Amino acid sequence: MSVHLSYCRLCPASCGVRVQVEDNRIVGIVGDGLHPLSGGYTCPKGRRGGDFLHGAERLTTSMRRTPDGSYEPISVDVAITEIAERIEAITGQHGADALGLFMGTQQNFAALTGPMARAWFHTTGSQKLFSTMTIDQSAKWIVHSRMGQYLGGRQRFDTADVWLLAGTNPMVSLNGGDGDGAVTQNPYVTIRAARERGLKLIVVDPRLTETAAHADLHLRPKPGTDAALFAGMLHVILSEQRQDRQFCDRYAEGLEALSAAVGHATPERTEAITGVPSDQVVRAARMFAAARRGMATTGTGVCMGPHSNVAEHLVACLNVVCGRYLREGEVTPNSNVLARTMPLTAEVRPPYRTWESGFRSRIGGIGTMNGELPSGILADEILEPGPDRVRALVVSGGNPARALPDREKAERALRELELLVCIDTRMSDTARLADYVIAPTMVYERPDHTLLMEFFFARPFAQYTPPLVTPPEGVIEDWEFFFRLATVSGDTVKFAGRVLDPDAPPTSDEMLAMFAERGRIPMDELRAARRGVLAPADEKVVGPPTEHGVEHRLVLCPDDVAAEIAAALQEPSRGPELPMRLTVRRMRELMNSLGKEIGGLPRHGYNPAHVHPHDLRRLGIDHGDIVRIRSAHGRIRAVAHTDTTVGPGTVSMTHCWGASDTDADPRGVGSNVNDLTGYDRVQSINAMPTMTAVPVTIEREGTGGAH
Ligand SMILES: Nc1nc2c(c(=O)[nH]1)N[C@H]1C(S)=C(S)[C@@H](COP(=O)(O)OP(=O)(O)OC[C@H]3O[C@@H](n4cnc5c(=O)[nH]c(N)nc54)[C@H](O)[C@@H]3O)O[C@H]1N2
Ligand SMILES: Nc1nc2c(c(=O)[nH]1)N[C@H]1C(S)=C(S)[C@@H](COP(=O)(O)OP(=O)(O)OC[C@H]3O[C@@H](n4cnc5c(=O)[nH]c(N)nc54)[C@H](O)[C@@H]3O)O[C@H]1N2
Ligand code: SF4
Ligand SMILES: [Mo]
């Protein structure tokens, strides 16, 4: 048996691990206690990493669907040739936009996949690019595009004296924010150390989460009322003149408009809407504003709610109004290690509302963000007749059959396609609908480095890993699929600024080296460092604004935002029909739909509907009962679990479980909350559906009428 140092790539945390290998099989994975960032932390799914590779579900060869609906193994060369021919036939007849690409979560954890998938897609000339970001936290994109972006950098977690985490539970998700060193690794130790240092932690979450348990102040708003809560906090800060005047005068405009828009959000009114006691609203606002450094960051609990875009905008306003950004001349660690160092300048990139110009979908006139169309319109892009309908779709490292809202519609759309190609390591629910399934290598079978993750790390750090085991013969690397697809179609692909020669394709290691060639650690040094490199304390200095930059300001309250603030401050009507609220959460043992199939990994073997014992008692439901949960959109069967951490009136459940048959035994296959979500309430601009704070009712099966 041999032991190798590497890092896990099932989620962005990139925990350092020690991997035991015997006869080309991974037989054990433990945390690397000496790893500079993760310090030995791992989660249950990371420790079962070997089972993902060697389990019965693992695809070791590509598959083609036969006319009778079963699958036969096919060589990847034949598969790529046939796929290229079918794409050419479809786009030849209907145009480039008949082809779509859906980029899923697991695409992000191999450095080469995303860039190469995009490079291939670029050659096709299609506009129909989708990713999971737009059913996740694209509210963050909308904020930058409507407000503009400060280019001098943000205050960091490691030197902060306050931090506000809203709708995120990093103790489970390792996802505490959006970069700049917010909590993403070794969360218990990171948060404990920060609090010992004196950091005040404010958590905004209806549930008493594993993270909230460590908070100095835990605000528990009614689900879906975050925008009102942040408006209330801004009201306190602005009416008590606690804002950072210097920063606002220099870098922001529209402070009066913002003050007016949040003028109604008095602490009392905020309490009436959110349920958070008015004195806690005031306390949180003062605690946040009084601190010298720190930020407010969010997760899916804010970005999936019924007012997600404006809620996220108001969080950004809190950061701007309190001046939580680096000033000219300040020094900060350079997080670019393998990626090219980007200068920081004390100036604003003005708003860029890309959806107002350029390509627009025939579905609702929706435009693009960061070159993508929102996944909220993907099903309609396929189903709605029109000349540029999506007829062929490639799914890369994703499982839209489970992850998209309105599960039934998503599956109907995927079935309707003339060609569905899915690149997946197992026969996922989406793969089972595909014409071709391409089997790729998995984590520990490919060389990799952390270029795409470094922005999230707490310190400037990079790690390389060689492959630790030889992959099954029939698989190829994800990036290679896209490269070869382009080549077979006669297109040339550009990567890291150069055209790749199809006759002398580079190896993965050569690709990784090209990708990192503008970084500040030579590849040889990176390869030699077995548990990664803490980069030299090469600090960046925030430079002066450029000539144009001097003029630009962050736009705090454009007209559309003002209207959305007003709408969010309407008291929500809680109809007697659907009195409860379904909220999102993550499971430590799973990564979205990945991990369900690993025997003994998910704790219960299904996804419970967590409800507070008071609610269960009132509804006559016992722990373990099968319940029916109904929304305006649909219904599911689920297993009720009593959970004192859940807020009143809330059903807290995770996603990506369940079968196509909604009557299937929820103890066997779990329940898909996307049978309860739909498109009846979507955000303007990014078509983001409501996936948390969904109005529902719950009753014990067999009891008849709703409660
Ligand atoms: N109701 C509701 N719906 C949700 C959410 C919610 O909170 N509530 N969350 C949303 C969010 S935030 C997200 S990100 C999406 C997730 O949506 P997706 O990204 O579409 O779903 P995953 O289950 O992460 O799909 C990853 C797939 O990649 C495969 N895979 C694993 N390793 C590899 C690899 O190395 N290469 C390739 N090619 N494939 C691999 C896995 O087998 C799996 O099928 O779901 C969204 N849907
Ligand atoms: N173990 C594990 N880790 C994961 C994943 C996984 O599936 N499993 N998925 C990964 C992915 S794709 C993503 S996008 C990230 C997500 O990372 P996070 O956003 O941190 O996800 P959660 O841990 O579900 O935290 C969301 C929190 O929002 C709260 N919440 C629900 N509704 C509301 C609301 O209306 N308002 C407020 N303020 N809070 C609310 C929930 O109670 C929950 O605690 O996690 C990533 N990490
Ligand atoms: S948190 Fe778990 S899944 Fe994520 S990198 Fe660490 S061990 Fe892997
Ligand atoms: Mo996500």
Side-chain angles (χ1 to χ4, degrees):
M1 193 179 72
S2 52
V3 177
H4 308 264
L5 293 173
S6 183
Y7 64 96
C8 175
R9 281 149 282 162
L10 295 172
C11 92
S14 312
C15 299
V17 289
R18 296 168 60 87
V19 182
Q20 298 162 338
V21 177
E22 201 175 328
D23 291 339
N24 201 43
R25 288 176 73 84
I26 291 173
V27 294
I29 296 178
V30 293
D32 174 11
L34 297 176
H35 192 267
L37 296 189
S38 59
Y41 176 91
T42 50
C43 75
K45 59 188 171 303
R47 292 191 292 273
R48 295 286 298 270
D51 296 321
F52 289 98
L53 275 71
H54 312 305
E57 296 268 328
R58 174 70 196 280
L59 273 181
T60 55
T61 174
S62 294
M63 297 289 204
R64 175 174 58 195
R65 194 168 55 203
T66 60
D68 73 7
S70 64
Y71 285 87
E72 61 186 10
I74 178 177
S75 88
V76 73
D77 297 318
V78 176
I80 290 174
T81 307
E82 290 187 8
I83 291 165
E85 281 168 7
R86 289 183 64 176
I87 288 177
E88 201 183 311
I90 291 168
T91 54
Q93 190 181 347
H94 301 286
D97 287 332
L99 171 68
L101 171 64
F102 180 83
M103 304 183 292
T105 310
Q106 289 295 326
Q107 177 184 290
N108 301 320
F109 310 142
L112 300 175
T113 311
M116 191 54 92
R118 285 172 183 275
W120 161 71
F121 200 65
H122 189 71
T123 66
T124 69
S126 168
Q127 321 264 5
K128 305 291 178 65
L129 180 63
F130 302 86
S131 80
T132 46
M133 181 62 174
T134 46
I135 42 166
D136 187 341
Q137 295 165 60
S138 61
K140 288 172 178 159
W141 288 353
I142 304 294
V143 170
H144 288 156
S145 339
R146 296 204 286 192
M147 181 185 277
Q149 209 173 347
Y150 181 69
L151 302 177
R154 316 185 321 163
Q155 295 183 345
R156 297 178 58 86
F157 188 80
D158 49 6
T159 48
D161 43 19
V162 74
W163 207 271
L164 184 150
L165 293 170
T168 179
N169 185 16
M171 292 289 194
V172 169
S173 69
L174 289 93
N175 172 75
D178 30 355
D180 292 316
V183 204
T184 43
Q185 280 106 19
N186 202 358
Y188 286 91
V189 171
T190 306
I191 288 181
R192 194 182 338 118
R195 294 192 63 226
E196 276 167 12
R197 204 182 64 224
L199 175 130
K200 295 272 181 256
L201 182 65
I202 307 172
V203 171
V204 179
D205 198 308
R207 214 191 118 220
L208 175 54
T209 58
E210 295 77 356
T211 308
H214 296 262
D216 294 280
L217 182 58
H218 177 201
L219 308 183
R220 303 185 77 171
K222 292 179 195 159
T225 65
D226 296 86
L229 180 65
F230 299 127
M233 286 177 65
L234 281 162
H235 175 97
V236 173
I237 291 169
L238 295 174
S239 61
E240 296 182 357
Q241 311 265 315
R242 289 172 186 272
Q243 71 268 29
D244 182 331
R245 268 168 209 285
Q246 245 187 342
F247 189 80
C248 291
D249 287 349
R250 173 65 191 78
Y251 294 108
E253 68 177 51
L255 193 64
E256 278 100 73
L258 180 67
S259 296
V262 301
H264 303 297
T266 59
E268 294 69 31
R269 175 138 187 81
T270 304
E271 174 174 339
I273 298 172
T274 65
V276 176
S278 56
D279 61 312
Q280 283 190 22
V281 177
V282 175
R283 208 174 137 221
R286 289 178 183 162
M287 191 186 269
F288 188 76
R292 282 181 43 254
R293 302 178 76 82
M295 295 208 86
T297 56
T298 65
T300 52
V302 171
C303 293
M304 291 183 173
H307 299 280
S308 49
N309 285 344
V310 69
E312 189 64 29
H313 192 97
L314 291 170
V315 171
C317 285
L318 271 178
N319 290 326
V320 171
V321 159
C322 295
R324 294 318 162 85
Y325 297 88
L326 307 177
R327 310 307 153 84
E328 188 178 335
E330 264 194 84
V331 287
T332 188
N334 179 4
S335 62
N336 304 122
V337 181
L338 300 182
R340 178 163 61 112
T341 291
M342 301 297 284
L344 296 174
T345 52
E347 67 179 79
V348 168
R349 176 187 179 191
Y352 46 92
R353 298 180 174 255
T354 50
W355 56 88
E356 290 178 356
S357 54
F359 180 82
R360 287 197 181 211
S361 167
R362 71 188 192 290
I363 309 300
I366 294 280
T368 57
M369 294 149 291
N370 284 14
E372 294 183 22
L373 286 169
S375 293
I377 64 167
L378 174 56
D380 279 337
E381 272 282 354
I382 299 167
L383 292 169
E384 288 295 316
D388 68 340
R389 221 180 102 190
V390 172
R391 294 161 192 269
L393 184 70
V394 175
V395 172
S396 167
N399 192 2
R402 286 295 165 271
L404 285 178
D406 193 343
R407 193 264 324 151
E408 188 278 325
K409 184 175 183 177
E411 284 192 22
R412 186 154 38 91
L414 293 171
R415 280 181 217 279
E416 183 77 18
L417 289 162
E418 287 169 32
L419 174 68
L420 174 59
V421 178
C422 184
I423 307 131
D424 206 302
T425 52
R426 61 192 175 116
M427 287 302 281
S428 69
D429 315 272
T430 304
R432 285 175 206 286
L433 303 173
D435 300 285
Y436 294 88
V437 186
I438 302 295
T441 56
M442 281 204 90
V443 52
Y444 305 123
E445 290 171 347
R446 57 186 174 229
D448 221 332
H449 62 43
T450 49
L451 185 144
L452 294 176
M453 299 298 154
E454 61 191 30
F455 178 64
F456 296 97
F457 294 162
R459 296 156 72 189
F461 175 78
Q463 189 162 1
Y464 164 84
T465 178
L468 306 185
V469 291
T470 310
E473 233 168 72
V475 307
I476 59 168
E477 293 226 31
D478 283 275
W479 73 264
E480 229 185 308
F481 168 75
F482 291 107
F483 176 63
R484 286 168 60 180
L485 187 58
T487 304
V488 167
S489 312
D491 294 310
T492 47
V493 188
K494 258 181 121 176
F495 183 82
R498 42 167 105 48
V499 175
L500 301 182
D501 179 358
D503 297 322
T507 64
S508 296
D509 270 313
E510 286 163 352
M511 293 279 289
L512 288 166
M514 277 188 252
F515 200 18
E517 69 193 348
R518 298 168 90 175
R520 55 198 175 103
I521 302 279
M523 204 61 191
D524 293 344
E525 192 184 318
L526 182 71
R527 280 209 194 91
R530 292 163 65 234
R531 48 171 61 94
V533 189
L534 273 177
D538 230 15
E539 293 187 322
K540 278 202 229 190
V541 181
V542 181
T546 58
E547 203 185 313
H548 294 298
V550 175
E551 301 156 18
H552 301 308
R553 296 283 182 278
L554 296 164
V555 180
L556 295 181
C557 195
D559 292 346
D560 48 356
V561 170
E564 289 167 33
I565 294 174
L569 291 176
Q570 301 291 320
E571 220 154 320
S573 56
R574 193 166 266 232
E577 257 294 280
L578 300 168
M580 308 276 284
R581 293 291 178 269
L582 172 77
T583 57
V584 291
R585 75 185 297 153
R586 250 72 194 165
M587 260 186 193
R588 211 187 287 277
E589 296 80 14
L590 306 186
M591 183 66 190
N592 301 324
S593 70
L594 190 61
K596 288 183 301 192
E597 71 280 11
I598 306 293
L601 179 56
R603 237 190 304 169
H604 309 285
Y606 54 85
N607 58 325
H610 300 268
V611 182
H612 195 276
H614 291 168
D615 281 325
L616 284 186
R617 214 168 301 136
R618 184 171 56 77
L619 297 165
I621 299 168
D622 286 325
H623 180 91
D625 278 354
I626 304 273
V627 290
R628 281 184 189 272
I629 304 174
R630 196 163 50 78
S631 71
H633 183 79
R635 62 177 181 81
I636 58 171
R637 303 175 75 209
V639 187
H641 273 210
T642 173
D643 185 343
T644 51
T645 69
V646 173
T650 307
V651 182
S652 166
M653 283 183 87
T654 200
H655 57 294
C656 277
W657 282 82
S660 305
D661 170 12
T662 45
D663 287 324
D665 179 6
R667 286 197 189 90
V669 294
S671 327
N672 191 346
V673 288
N674 280 327
D675 279 308
L676 300 171
T677 62
Y679 303 97
D680 26 328
R681 176 145 194 186
V682 301
Q683 297 290 288
S684 62
I685 304 171
N686 56 348
M688 177 65 186
T690 301
M691 291 147 86
T692 198
V694 178
V696 293
T697 183
I698 172 169
E699 66 186 39
R700 190 155 63 86
E701 204 165 78
T703 53
H707 294 260

